[in-house]
Amino acid sequence: MDMKTIRNHAGVTWIDLETPSKIEVREVAEVSGLESQTIEELLSPSLKHKVEFGKNHAYIVLHFPALGESKNGDAAYEVDFILTKNVIITARYERVEALEKFKPTDESENGIFFGLLGELLGNFEHKLSSVDHWVREVENKMFNGQEKQTILELSEASRHLIDFRKITAIYPDVFKTLGTEGGKIFGSKFSTLSAEILERFEKSKAKLDVLFETVHELRETNNALLSTKQNESMKTLTVVFITASVLVGIISIWIGFMARK
């Protein structure tokens, strides 16, 4: 179902579109003063991140880790932004909780846009913390003799973290470009806020890298523990086999001896 939400704050109009229709796109073109050809890109999702600048606007496509949030089971969800000095347009193609939770409070001209980015990054940070907590639980299981059960869980955690890395790898380039090119259109404050959002992401990326390495090491440890257990089992089976063979041999000799009597 098509949905459109409009909020006004500090002289800026924020228009949020969910699965926008052609009619909504035409209406947004009129409100923003942009050509309909620019706005029509919001009609369908994009496969890649994008940052483009016009004379007086910026068009940004970003993907964010979903981790179960996407209704289609996708690894990421998309949010498109079109920025002018007085209008901010967001478009998404499914429900995005972070956008629905956001309430404009910043009085600066570009406060809504960077507030939205902050909310979306906060959502990513929350997902990262959830995986971190999950990995700690898996680690406890592993060292409590549940190595077989944790194989799949560690593989799943690793898959999510690989998705996180792939999806967010472009963020530094995007935020740097926003700072340099966006500052020319929207002013020095925009560049400053871009640098701040980049710094925030870099902290999350450092945590992601540490968590990724932790899961890798846990998988190696888990494999070593399993291998040790298998070797111990093989030793036990070998002892049992040898013992049984000796007993069979003794019994055979005894039976042969009794038969000769």
Side-chain angles (χ1 to χ4, degrees), residues 41-234:
E41 293 201 49
L42 303 178
L43 286 171
S44 58
S46 304
L47 295 176
K48 296 181 179 180
H49 296 282
K50 184 184 297 186
V51 186
E52 296 178 351
F53 293 90
K55 230 178 184 183
N56 58 1
H57 78 278
Y59 175 41
I60 304 137
V61 176
L62 285 173
H63 296 89
F64 298 88
L67 192 63
E69 194 175 344
S70 171
K71 65 182 180 182
N72 301 317
D74 296 329
Y77 60 82
E78 176 182 332
V79 181
D80 297 359
F81 301 87
I82 292 183
L83 313 178
T84 71
K85 288 189 175 181
N86 300 311
V87 178
I88 294 174
I89 302 158
T90 52
R92 53 216 167 86
Y93 306 92
E94 55 188 306
R95 185 173 178 233
V96 176
E97 186 179 350
L99 291 189
E100 294 176 2
K101 283 169 54 180
F102 177 71
K103 298 289 187 294
T105 56
D106 199 319
E107 293 298 325
S108 68
E109 184 179 82
N110 300 307
I112 293 178
F113 172 61
F114 285 100
L116 288 168
L117 273 185
E119 194 74 43
L120 289 162
L121 276 182
N123 186 262
F124 166 57
E125 291 162 358
H126 175 71
K127 288 179 170 64
L128 200 55
S129 294
S130 296
V131 175
D132 187 10
H133 180 71
W134 176 31
V135 168
R136 291 174 189 274
E137 291 181 344
V138 174
E139 182 180 4
N140 289 332
K141 287 182 186 178
M142 186 181 77
F143 286 109
N144 280 307
Q146 301 179 52
E147 297 91 349
K148 289 184 179 179
Q149 295 92 320
T150 56
I151 291 175
L152 290 178
E153 290 185 80
L154 286 171
S155 296
E156 185 75 2
S158 180
R159 182 174 68 85
H160 289 313
L161 293 173
I162 289 170
D163 286 339
F164 285 5
R165 275 187 157 183
K166 287 180 180 177
I167 294 162
T168 63
I170 196 68
Y171 286 7
D173 289 339
V174 170
F175 298 147
K176 286 173 186 175
T177 303
L178 281 176
T180 54
E181 299 301 319
K184 297 174 185 177
I185 300 173
F186 305 110
S188 58
K189 180 66 174 177
F190 192 94
S191 297
T192 301
L193 292 170
S194 296
E196 289 175 2
I197 210 79
L198 172 59
E199 184 179 356
R200 177 174 174 178
F201 169 70
E202 292 292 356
K203 291 178 182 177
S204 296
K205 183 180 180 300
K207 183 176 180 179
L208 171 58
D209 290 342
V210 169
L211 190 52
F212 188 86
E213 291 302 318
T214 299
V215 170
H216 175 73
E217 289 174 10
L218 286 175
R219 291 183 74 180
E220 292 292 320
T221 303
N222 196 70
N223 290 337
L225 289 171
L226 278 172
S227 179
T228 301
K229 276 195 169 183
Q230 287 171 353
N231 290 337
E232 290 298 324
S233 297
M234 288 302 296

